[in-house]
């Protein structure tokens, strides 16, 4: 995002593990093999709402929202 000719970048990171087997039918890409730390379901097993609440994109957007509130 650019504001007053200055670039701002908002990053989201979610830690987890790659499973050996595909698990779940939802999502795309790495979703069936990505198991977030602290969860017992891969992204592909989660509802869209569950996944979106903890995804790296949600974290980055949350940082953007906080920045814009200032």
């Amino acid at each position: 995002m650019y504001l007053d000719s200055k670039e701002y970048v908002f990053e989201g990171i979610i830690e987890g593990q790659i499973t050996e087997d595909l698990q779940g039918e939802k999502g795309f890409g790495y979703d069936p093999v990505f198991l977030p730390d602290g969860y017992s379901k891969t992204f592909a097993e989660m509802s869209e709402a569950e996944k979106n609440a903890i995804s790296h994109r949600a974290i980055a957007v949350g940082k953007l929202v906080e920045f814009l509130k200032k």
Side-chain angles (χ1 to χ4, degrees), residues 15-70:
E15 301 286 336
Q17 299 177 8
I18 302 300
T19 63
E20 291 188 22
D21 300 312
L22 298 176
Q23 299 175 32
E25 300 290 323
K26 302 174 195 156
F28 62 94
Y30 60 82
D31 289 355
V33 296
F34 186 72
L35 181 65
D37 286 349
Y39 291 84
S40 59
K41 297 190 281 188
T42 65
F43 272 173
E45 296 172 296
M46 293 180 179
S47 70
E48 190 173 328
E50 288 176 300
K51 177 184 164 187
N52 288 340
I54 64 168
S55 75
H56 62 286
R57 289 181 184 94
I59 294 166
V61 169
K63 290 177 181 179
L64 169 63
V65 168
E66 288 304 312
F67 174 80
L68 293 173
K69 285 182 179 179
K70 293 179 184 178

